Amino acid sequence: MKKRRNPWWIKTIYDVSQRNIIRLKSEWGPVGENWWAKVWVAVLEDAGEKGRLTRAKTCARNGSGSRLRIETGQMRIGICCSGYTIRDVVFLFPKFKEDVWVRLISLVAADAALAGALLSGDFTEYFVEELRKENIHLLPKNFREITALCGCGDAHHLCIHVAAAWYLFAEVLDEDPWHLLMLHGLPKDELTRLVRELREIKGVDCSKQSIPKERLSDRTIEVPKLENPAVFFSMAGDPLSLLPGCDPDTVANPILLLGPAPANLGGKNISDRTGNLYPVIREYAEALVRKKEGGE
């Protein structure tokens, strides 16, 4: 006869292996190593009382989190502050609607820096900020956006277990911030697939269409007007399709056409700092051409 295993919801810390225990890495001081984890923690600390937050940190350091489950629209974790009883805490996240995902996919696919961050797994401030400008928030703006559930019976709107779970989840986000995509309704792998397909298919416009269930359709993408060439080189398709409508006397700065760079230098985007190099480079190149033609 097979030995019956205890189900995952058994309410005792002794049923959890040490490798599945989560505790705060910092023994004192602020929680979170990366900028996104610090933003996550700041949302909690703006909403909680100092005394309760101190107790929650003690729980997260000396107690433990366990049985972490991250699913579409929710995160579940068991919190044990003392003794052996585990309190299940659930965070319910607002899932993005389909039209929001369509805008997000179109935005990322059309921007080389955003697509590069996603495909390389680099969760940059530029990635989060550009989405925020489109009113797409991966990180919560305030604590009230997330519905927190705990069965401890504490009537306070932010019990110790919820606050401890919030702190512990900062540790999880430190390791993988892309969990935020899953919590808002779409796994990173699926978003990456959709962005790749949109960038690979020539002339696709999903800005006003539904997210494809199997593959993006062959709709055309709107070509930027000549006076607004940003993100030109990050567009899917053949750039030669722009030539028929261009003024042959127009000189375009390719540094500007590349759009914002994925990094800053001295508080200013690198593309802004290097944009004025093109006229000098162009003048030098034209001089070489004239010299070559004169020699021939």
PDB file of all heavy atoms in Angstrom, residues 130-151:
ATOM      1  N   GLU A 130       7.903  53.298 -19.698  1.00  0.00           N
ATOM      2  CA  GLU A 130       7.226  53.486 -20.981  1.00  0.00           C
ATOM      3  C   GLU A 130       5.821  52.897 -20.956  1.00  0.00           C
ATOM      4  O   GLU A 130       4.890  53.461 -21.539  1.00  0.00           O
ATOM      5  CB  GLU A 130       8.046  52.858 -22.110  1.00  0.00           C
ATOM      6  CG  GLU A 130       9.318  53.607 -22.432  1.00  0.00           C
ATOM      7  CD  GLU A 130       9.047  55.057 -22.832  1.00  0.00           C
ATOM      8  OE1 GLU A 130       8.371  55.276 -23.852  1.00  0.00           O
ATOM      9  OE2 GLU A 130       9.513  55.959 -22.109  1.00  0.00           O
ATOM     10  N   LEU A 131       5.642  51.768 -20.284  1.00  0.00           N
ATOM     11  CA  LEU A 131       4.306  51.200 -20.145  1.00  0.00           C
ATOM     12  C   LEU A 131       3.438  52.086 -19.250  1.00  0.00           C
ATOM     13  O   LEU A 131       2.251  52.278 -19.510  1.00  0.00           O
ATOM     14  CB  LEU A 131       4.383  49.786 -19.566  1.00  0.00           C
ATOM     15  CG  LEU A 131       5.079  48.727 -20.431  1.00  0.00           C
ATOM     16  CD1 LEU A 131       4.990  47.361 -19.758  1.00  0.00           C
ATOM     17  CD2 LEU A 131       4.468  48.660 -21.827  1.00  0.00           C
ATOM     18  N   ARG A 132       4.052  52.640 -18.214  1.00  0.00           N
ATOM     19  CA  ARG A 132       3.297  53.518 -17.304  1.00  0.00           C
ATOM     20  C   ARG A 132       2.775  54.743 -18.039  1.00  0.00           C
ATOM     21  O   ARG A 132       1.666  55.218 -17.775  1.00  0.00           O
ATOM     22  CB  ARG A 132       4.192  53.945 -16.140  1.00  0.00           C
ATOM     23  CG  ARG A 132       3.458  54.751 -15.060  1.00  0.00           C
ATOM     24  CD  ARG A 132       4.412  55.458 -14.151  1.00  0.00           C
ATOM     25  NE  ARG A 132       5.186  56.456 -14.861  1.00  0.00           N
ATOM     26  CZ  ARG A 132       4.720  57.663 -15.195  1.00  0.00           C
ATOM     27  NH1 ARG A 132       3.476  58.016 -14.876  1.00  0.00           N
ATOM     28  NH2 ARG A 132       5.483  58.515 -15.849  1.00  0.00           N
ATOM     29  N   LYS A 133       3.566  55.269 -18.984  1.00  0.00           N
ATOM     30  CA  LYS A 133       3.127  56.424 -19.769  1.00  0.00           C
ATOM     31  C   LYS A 133       1.865  56.111 -20.561  1.00  0.00           C
ATOM     32  O   LYS A 133       1.086  57.017 -20.890  1.00  0.00           O
ATOM     33  CB  LYS A 133       4.240  56.866 -20.717  1.00  0.00           C
ATOM     34  CG  LYS A 133       5.443  57.489 -20.016  1.00  0.00           C
ATOM     35  CD  LYS A 133       6.519  57.833 -21.024  1.00  0.00           C
ATOM     36  CE  LYS A 133       7.752  58.407 -20.336  1.00  0.00           C
ATOM     37  NZ  LYS A 133       8.831  58.716 -21.323  1.00  0.00           N
ATOM     38  N   GLU A 134       1.665  54.838 -20.878  1.00  0.00           N
ATOM     39  CA  GLU A 134       0.462  54.400 -21.587  1.00  0.00           C
ATOM     40  C   GLU A 134      -0.607  53.909 -20.618  1.00  0.00           C
ATOM     41  O   GLU A 134      -1.549  53.219 -21.013  1.00  0.00           O
ATOM     42  CB  GLU A 134       0.819  53.279 -22.569  1.00  0.00           C
ATOM     43  CG  GLU A 134       1.779  53.690 -23.663  1.00  0.00           C
ATOM     44  CD  GLU A 134       1.179  54.741 -24.588  1.00  0.00           C
ATOM     45  OE1 GLU A 134      -0.036  54.651 -24.868  1.00  0.00           O
ATOM     46  OE2 GLU A 134       1.921  55.656 -24.995  1.00  0.00           O
ATOM     47  N   ASN A 135      -0.440  54.264 -19.344  1.00  0.00           N
ATOM     48  CA  ASN A 135      -1.387  53.876 -18.281  1.00  0.00           C
ATOM     49  C   ASN A 135      -1.460  52.365 -18.108  1.00  0.00           C
ATOM     50  O   ASN A 135      -2.519  51.805 -17.814  1.00  0.00           O
ATOM     51  CB  ASN A 135      -2.790  54.450 -18.565  1.00  0.00           C
ATOM     52  CG  ASN A 135      -3.646  54.525 -17.312  1.00  0.00           C
ATOM     53  OD1 ASN A 135      -3.137  54.687 -16.201  1.00  0.00           O
ATOM     54  ND2 ASN A 135      -4.950  54.391 -17.470  1.00  0.00           N
ATOM     55  N   ILE A 136      -0.330  51.699 -18.308  1.00  0.00           N
ATOM     56  CA  ILE A 136      -0.210  50.259 -18.075  1.00  0.00           C
ATOM     57  C   ILE A 136       0.778  50.082 -16.924  1.00  0.00           C
ATOM     58  O   ILE A 136       1.975  50.303 -17.095  1.00  0.00           O
ATOM     59  CB  ILE A 136       0.274  49.524 -19.334  1.00  0.00           C
ATOM     60  CG1 ILE A 136      -0.670  49.773 -20.507  1.00  0.00           C
ATOM     61  CG2 ILE A 136       0.397  48.029 -19.074  1.00  0.00           C
ATOM     62  CD1 ILE A 136      -0.178  49.210 -21.832  1.00  0.00           C
ATOM     63  N   HIS A 137       0.284  49.707 -15.767  1.00  0.00           N
ATOM     64  CA  HIS A 137       1.104  49.664 -14.556  1.00  0.00           C
ATOM     65  C   HIS A 137       1.399  48.215 -14.170  1.00  0.00           C
ATOM     66  O   HIS A 137       0.500  47.485 -13.746  1.00  0.00           O
ATOM     67  CB  HIS A 137       0.390  50.377 -13.408  1.00  0.00           C
ATOM     68  CG  HIS A 137       0.106  51.825 -13.681  1.00  0.00           C
ATOM     69  ND1 HIS A 137       1.009  52.825 -13.351  1.00  0.00           N
ATOM     70  CD2 HIS A 137      -0.964  52.442 -14.256  1.00  0.00           C
ATOM     71  CE1 HIS A 137       0.499  53.996 -13.713  1.00  0.00           C
ATOM     72  NE2 HIS A 137      -0.686  53.781 -14.267  1.00  0.00           N
ATOM     73  N   LEU A 138       2.650  47.809 -14.305  1.00  0.00           N
ATOM     74  CA  LEU A 138       3.047  46.469 -13.862  1.00  0.00           C
ATOM     75  C   LEU A 138       3.168  46.423 -12.345  1.00  0.00           C
ATOM     76  O   LEU A 138       2.780  45.443 -11.715  1.00  0.00           O
ATOM     77  CB  LEU A 138       4.372  46.070 -14.505  1.00  0.00           C
ATOM     78  CG  LEU A 138       4.357  45.837 -16.022  1.00  0.00           C
ATOM     79  CD1 LEU A 138       5.728  45.403 -16.510  1.00  0.00           C
ATOM     80  CD2 LEU A 138       3.314  44.785 -16.395  1.00  0.00           C
ATOM     81  N   LEU A 139       3.730  47.458 -11.768  1.00  0.00           N
ATOM     82  CA  LEU A 139       3.823  47.566 -10.318  1.00  0.00           C
ATOM     83  C   LEU A 139       2.632  48.367  -9.804  1.00  0.00           C
ATOM     84  O   LEU A 139       2.207  49.343 -10.445  1.00  0.00           O
ATOM     85  CB  LEU A 139       5.126  48.250  -9.917  1.00  0.00           C
ATOM     86  CG  LEU A 139       6.391  47.408 -10.104  1.00  0.00           C
ATOM     87  CD1 LEU A 139       7.630  48.288 -10.158  1.00  0.00           C
ATOM     88  CD2 LEU A 139       6.514  46.382  -8.986  1.00  0.00           C
ATOM     89  N   PRO A 140       2.069  47.986  -8.667  1.00  0.00           N
ATOM     90  CA  PRO A 140       0.885  48.698  -8.158  1.00  0.00           C
ATOM     91  C   PRO A 140       1.215  50.133  -7.763  1.00  0.00           C
ATOM     92  O   PRO A 140       2.300  50.431  -7.269  1.00  0.00           O
ATOM     93  CB  PRO A 140       0.471  47.863  -6.939  1.00  0.00           C
ATOM     94  CG  PRO A 140       1.714  47.150  -6.519  1.00  0.00           C
ATOM     95  CD  PRO A 140       2.479  46.877  -7.775  1.00  0.00           C
ATOM     96  N   LYS A 141       0.256  51.031  -7.991  1.00  0.00           N
ATOM     97  CA  LYS A 141       0.432  52.428  -7.601  1.00  0.00           C
ATOM     98  C   LYS A 141       0.179  52.604  -6.108  1.00  0.00           C
ATOM     99  O   LYS A 141       0.778  53.462  -5.479  1.00  0.00           O
ATOM    100  CB  LYS A 141      -0.523  53.333  -8.399  1.00  0.00           C
ATOM    101  CG  LYS A 141      -0.342  53.249  -9.908  1.00  0.00           C
ATOM    102  CD  LYS A 141      -1.168  54.294 -10.635  1.00  0.00           C
ATOM    103  CE  LYS A 141      -2.664  54.075 -10.451  1.00  0.00           C
ATOM    104  NZ  LYS A 141      -3.116  52.798 -11.045  1.00  0.00           N
ATOM    105  N   ASN A 142      -0.723  51.800  -5.553  1.00  0.00           N
ATOM    106  CA  ASN A 142      -1.001  51.859  -4.119  1.00  0.00           C
ATOM    107  C   ASN A 142      -1.500  50.494  -3.649  1.00  0.00           C
ATOM    108  O   ASN A 142      -1.864  49.634  -4.457  1.00  0.00           O
ATOM    109  CB  ASN A 142      -2.022  52.958  -3.790  1.00  0.00           C
ATOM    110  CG  ASN A 142      -3.324  52.784  -4.553  1.00  0.00           C
ATOM    111  OD1 ASN A 142      -4.086  51.847  -4.301  1.00  0.00           O
ATOM    112  ND2 ASN A 142      -3.589  53.675  -5.496  1.00  0.00           N
ATOM    113  N   PHE A 143      -1.538  50.323  -2.335  1.00  0.00           N
ATOM    114  CA  PHE A 143      -1.868  49.028  -1.750  1.00  0.00           C
ATOM    115  C   PHE A 143      -3.309  48.614  -2.047  1.00  0.00           C
ATOM    116  O   PHE A 143      -3.618  47.421  -2.127  1.00  0.00           O
ATOM    117  CB  PHE A 143      -1.629  49.076  -0.235  1.00  0.00           C
ATOM    118  CG  PHE A 143      -1.810  47.761   0.452  1.00  0.00           C
ATOM    119  CD1 PHE A 143      -0.811  46.809   0.430  1.00  0.00           C
ATOM    120  CD2 PHE A 143      -2.989  47.461   1.120  1.00  0.00           C
ATOM    121  CE1 PHE A 143      -0.979  45.582   1.062  1.00  0.00           C
ATOM    122  CE2 PHE A 143      -3.165  46.242   1.749  1.00  0.00           C
ATOM    123  CZ  PHE A 143      -2.151  45.295   1.721  1.00  0.00           C
ATOM    124  N   ARG A 144      -4.192  49.586  -2.216  1.00  0.00           N
ATOM    125  CA  ARG A 144      -5.616  49.275  -2.418  1.00  0.00           C
ATOM    126  C   ARG A 144      -5.879  48.597  -3.750  1.00  0.00           C
ATOM    127  O   ARG A 144      -6.957  48.016  -3.946  1.00  0.00           O
ATOM    128  CB  ARG A 144      -6.452  50.562  -2.319  1.00  0.00           C
ATOM    129  CG  ARG A 144      -6.466  51.183  -0.940  1.00  0.00           C
ATOM    130  CD  ARG A 144      -7.436  52.351  -0.879  1.00  0.00           C
ATOM    131  NE  ARG A 144      -7.072  53.388  -1.836  1.00  0.00           N
ATOM    132  CZ  ARG A 144      -6.186  54.352  -1.576  1.00  0.00           C
ATOM    133  NH1 ARG A 144      -5.581  54.395  -0.413  1.00  0.00           N
ATOM    134  NH2 ARG A 144      -5.903  55.273  -2.479  1.00  0.00           N
ATOM    135  N   GLU A 145      -4.944  48.665  -4.689  1.00  0.00           N
ATOM    136  CA  GLU A 145      -5.147  48.013  -5.982  1.00  0.00           C
ATOM    137  C   GLU A 145      -5.163  46.494  -5.865  1.00  0.00           C
ATOM    138  O   GLU A 145      -5.737  45.805  -6.700  1.00  0.00           O
ATOM    139  CB  GLU A 145      -4.040  48.421  -6.955  1.00  0.00           C
ATOM    140  CG  GLU A 145      -4.097  49.866  -7.400  1.00  0.00           C
ATOM    141  CD  GLU A 145      -3.016  50.176  -8.407  1.00  0.00           C
ATOM    142  OE1 GLU A 145      -2.335  49.225  -8.852  1.00  0.00           O
ATOM    143  OE2 GLU A 145      -2.828  51.353  -8.740  1.00  0.00           O
ATOM    144  N   ILE A 146      -4.510  45.969  -4.838  1.00  0.00           N
ATOM    145  CA  ILE A 146      -4.397  44.524  -4.645  1.00  0.00           C
ATOM    146  C   ILE A 146      -5.357  44.099  -3.538  1.00  0.00           C
ATOM    147  O   ILE A 146      -5.372  44.696  -2.456  1.00  0.00           O
ATOM    148  CB  ILE A 146      -2.963  44.126  -4.248  1.00  0.00           C
ATOM    149  CG1 ILE A 146      -1.938  44.777  -5.193  1.00  0.00           C
ATOM    150  CG2 ILE A 146      -2.814  42.616  -4.232  1.00  0.00           C
ATOM    151  CD1 ILE A 146      -2.102  44.393  -6.638  1.00  0.00           C
ATOM    152  N   THR A 147      -6.150  43.084  -3.807  1.00  0.00           N
ATOM    153  CA  THR A 147      -7.037  42.521  -2.783  1.00  0.00           C
ATOM    154  C   THR A 147      -6.276  41.471  -1.996  1.00  0.00           C
ATOM    155  O   THR A 147      -5.787  40.493  -2.566  1.00  0.00           O
ATOM    156  CB  THR A 147      -8.288  41.892  -3.419  1.00  0.00           C
ATOM    157  OG1 THR A 147      -8.999  42.898  -4.158  1.00  0.00           O
ATOM    158  CG2 THR A 147      -9.201  41.319  -2.348  1.00  0.00           C
ATOM    159  N   ALA A 148      -6.131  41.698  -0.676  1.00  0.00           N
ATOM    160  CA  ALA A 148      -5.399  40.771   0.185  1.00  0.00           C
ATOM    161  C   ALA A 148      -6.382  40.011   1.067  1.00  0.00           C
ATOM    162  O   ALA A 148      -7.253  40.607   1.706  1.00  0.00           O
ATOM    163  CB  ALA A 148      -4.394  41.536   1.041  1.00  0.00           C
ATOM    164  N   LEU A 149      -6.237  38.692   1.106  1.00  0.00           N
ATOM    165  CA  LEU A 149      -7.130  37.843   1.888  1.00  0.00           C
ATOM    166  C   LEU A 149      -6.316  37.018   2.882  1.00  0.00           C
ATOM    167  O   LEU A 149      -5.289  36.432   2.530  1.00  0.00           O
ATOM    168  CB  LEU A 149      -7.914  36.898   0.968  1.00  0.00           C
ATOM    169  CG  LEU A 149      -8.707  37.550  -0.166  1.00  0.00           C
ATOM    170  CD1 LEU A 149      -9.304  36.480  -1.063  1.00  0.00           C
ATOM    171  CD2 LEU A 149      -9.802  38.453   0.396  1.00  0.00           C
ATOM    172  N   CYS A 150      -6.764  36.997   4.140  1.00  0.00           N
ATOM    173  CA  CYS A 150      -6.135  36.184   5.173  1.00  0.00           C
ATOM    174  C   CYS A 150      -7.225  35.711   6.132  1.00  0.00           C
ATOM    175  O   CYS A 150      -8.136  36.482   6.467  1.00  0.00           O
ATOM    176  CB  CYS A 150      -5.067  36.974   5.923  1.00  0.00           C
ATOM    177  SG  CYS A 150      -4.260  36.039   7.246  1.00  0.00           S
ATOM    178  N   GLY A 151      -7.128  34.468   6.572  1.00  0.00           N
ATOM    179  CA  GLY A 151      -8.155  33.909   7.449  1.00  0.00           C
ATOM    180  C   GLY A 151      -7.804  33.958   8.919  1.00  0.00           C
ATOM    181  O   GLY A 151      -8.350  33.186   9.711  1.00  0.00           O
TER     182      GLY A 151
END
